[in-house]
Amino acid sequence: MNMRTLLLFLLSAVLAVAVAAERHTITLFQPSMVGETELEPGNYQLSLAESHVVFRKGRKKVEADVRVETGKTKFKFTLVRYNTDGGKNRISEIRLGGTNRKLILH
């Protein structure tokens, strides 16, 4: 009985962590830098957990630290803002459509 209870507890904990990561889809229309990695144009899955975001496209995975800010109203659509750094477009902010949150990339 003890082993069964422990197994159930561990399974619940794993599921809770998996559900805690929030997921969104964004489309990049131009090559975009995240950290030292250049992302090609296309659709990416974002997984957000606290102050960490993961960009995924197929087998490619790029991670970055973010600061999450909450606005007063919901954003109607997803918006990606850039800074130009050395002639390359670096993602600086992502406003998540359908939410009132924006991600500020470090």
Side-chain angles (χ1 to χ4, degrees), residues 16 27 39 41 44 50 57 59 61 67 73 77 101 103:
T27 301
L39 301 177
Y44 289 83
E50 294 184 25
K57 180 179 180 184
R59 292 184 178 180
K61 174 178 145 181
R67 183 178 77 240
T73 60
F77 50 88
R101 295 187 312 170
L103 312 177

Side-chain angles (χ1 to χ4, degrees), residues 27-33 80-84 89-93:
T27 301
L28 300 177
F29 295 100
Q30 59 193 8
S32 306
M33 296 296 294
V80 179
R81 299 184 96 179
Y82 296 93
N83 287 331
T84 303
N89 293 318
R90 184 170 301 281
I91 297 176
S92 61
E93 178 181 314

